[in-house]
C-alpha cells in the first residue's frame, strides 16, 4: 500500500505540464507582383480582362492589366486551420492595412510603421 502510494505521487509529479510564452516578430521588406494578379487569380484593375487570369491567355490578359491597389492582411493562425482570404481564422493575431498604394507592382514597406498603427516589425505574442 505505502510503496504504491509513493510511486503514484512520484509519477504524478513527473506528469506536470510545462507552459511557455512566445514572441514572434515579422518584418515586411518588399512586395512584388509583376504578374498583376490578385490572390484569387484575377487580373488587377483591368475591366477588359475581368476573367480569371489562370485561364488562357493569362499572361496576355494580365500584361495589359493595370497595377494593383495595395492593402495587406497579415494573419497568424494555427497550422491546418481553415483560411478565408477576407476574414481568416487568425486566432493568434492579425494586422490589416488600409489601401496604402494605388497602381503599384512593387512596394517597399516603411519602418517603423507600414500603415496607420500597423508596426513594422509586426509583433505577435501568446502562450503555448
Amino acid at each position: 500500500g505505502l510503496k504504491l502510494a509513493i510511486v503514484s505521487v512520484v509519477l504524478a509529479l513527473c506528469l506536470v505540464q510545462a507552459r511557455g510564452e512566445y514572441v514572434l516578430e515579422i518584418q515586411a521588406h518588399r512586395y512584388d507582383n509583376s504578374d498583376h494578379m490578385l490572390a484569387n487569380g484575377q487580373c488587377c484593375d483591368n475591366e477588359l480582362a475581368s476573367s480569371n487570369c489562370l485561364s488562357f491567355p493569362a499572361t496576355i490578359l494580365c500584361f495589359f492589366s493595370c497595377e494593383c491597389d495595395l492593402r495587406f492582411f497579415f494573419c497568424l493562425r494555427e497550422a491546418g486551420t481553415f483560411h478565408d482570404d477576407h476574414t481568416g481564422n487568425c486566432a493568434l493575431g492579425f494586422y490589416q492595412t488600409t489601401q496604402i498604394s494605388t497602381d503599384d507592382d512593387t512596394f517597399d514597406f516603411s519602418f517603423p510603421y507600414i500603415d496607420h498603427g500597423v508596426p513594422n516589425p509586426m509583433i505577435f505574442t501568446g502562450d503555448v
Side-chain angles (χ1 to χ4, degrees), residues 35-108:
D35 292 333
H36 310 290
M37 290 176 65
L38 300 173
N40 66 4
Q42 293 203 350
C43 299
C44 296
D45 290 350
N46 187 348
E47 296 187 20
L48 295 176
S50 61
S51 64
N52 191 313
C53 282
L54 299 178
S55 62
F56 179 80
T59 54
I60 294 171
L61 286 176
C62 290
F63 178 76
F64 292 107
S65 176
C66 295
E67 290 84 4
C68 291
D69 300 332
L70 303 179
R71 64 180 53 87
F72 296 92
F73 184 69
F74 300 93
C75 174
L76 187 62
R77 60 188 172 84
E78 293 184 22
T81 55
F82 175 75
H83 176 67
D84 179 312
D85 289 336
H86 300 288
T87 58
N89 179 10
C90 307
L92 303 177
F94 71 92
Y95 289 98
Q96 183 172 353
T97 69
T98 59
Q99 182 173 318
I100 57 177
S101 185
T102 302
D103 294 336
D104 281 319
D105 285 332
T106 59
F107 182 76
D108 291 314

Side-chain angles (χ1 to χ4, degrees), residues 21-25 76 91-93 95 122-128:
E21 296 178 346
Y22 65 87
V23 175
L24 174 65
E25 289 187 16
L76 187 62
L92 303 177
Y95 289 98
M122 294 164 277
I123 299 173
F124 298 90
T125 60
D127 298 323
V128 290

Side-chain angles (χ1 to χ4, degrees), residues 104-122:
D104 281 319
D105 285 332
T106 59
F107 182 76
D108 291 314
F109 290 94
S110 58
F111 301 94
Y113 291 97
I114 295 172
D115 187 31
H116 310 283
V118 178
N120 197 13
M122 294 164 277

Side-chain angles (χ1 to χ4, degrees), residues 11-18:
L11 285 176
L13 291 175
C14 293
L15 297 176
V16 174
Q17 290 184 343

